[in-house]
Amino acid sequence: MDKLTQYRQIVEDIILKYSQFRPSHGTIRLDPIIDEKRDHYALMQVGWDRGKRIRGNLIYITLKDEKIYLEYDGIETGITQDLLDQGIPEQDIIYQN
């Protein structure tokens, strides 16, 4: 398996893992967005909490030049350790926050 294919699978698995979580309050769903053709991966939150509309990214990742760009990481503990645990070298993780 080539590097880019491996990175795509790892990122998709991480997005899908976090999409199974349920927020502790509100009526919020987590929608995974997987675009392998353009190498864009996101986890969106959509719903209601305490009478207010909730919407936006929890995770947004792009792949480019065989690197993983963390465009936005709104997970409380961050997803960097997930990437490292899956064998992604630290030098291939680029932080855009």
Side-chain angles (χ1 to χ4, degrees):
M1 179 182 308
D2 73 330
K3 187 176 183 179
L4 189 55
T5 301
Q6 179 186 13
Y7 284 10
R8 283 180 179 132
Q9 187 61 58
I10 289 169
V11 167
E12 182 175 335
D13 290 347
I14 289 169
I15 295 284
L16 292 175
K17 175 182 95 170
Y18 281 103
S19 75
Q20 299 303 306
F21 291 10
R22 291 296 147 238
S24 61
H25 47 83
T27 306
I28 301 169
R29 72 176 195 265
L30 302 178
D31 294 340
I33 310 296
I34 309 291
D35 182 354
E36 286 185 2
K37 183 176 180 181
R38 293 172 190 84
D39 284 326
H40 293 235
Y41 304 83
L43 182 61
M44 302 293 296
Q45 60 179 342
V46 179
W48 294 89
D49 183 25
R50 298 175 213 149
K52 294 186 180 185
R53 185 74 170 143
I54 304 296
R55 63 190 172 281
N57 284 329
L58 282 178
I59 300 171
Y60 182 47
I61 296 172
T62 57
L63 301 181
K64 186 172 83 172
D65 301 324
E66 296 189 335
K67 304 265 188 223
I68 296 174
Y69 288 80
L70 293 178
E71 305 287 352
Y72 182 75
D73 182 0
I75 300 298
E76 187 174 332
T77 58
I79 64 167
T80 301
Q81 192 59 51
D82 294 286
L83 295 167
L84 294 171
D85 290 347
Q86 292 299 314
I88 306 292
E90 193 169 349
Q91 66 268 19
D92 284 356
I93 303 170
I94 312 298
Y95 301 94
Q96 298 292 91
N97 291 337

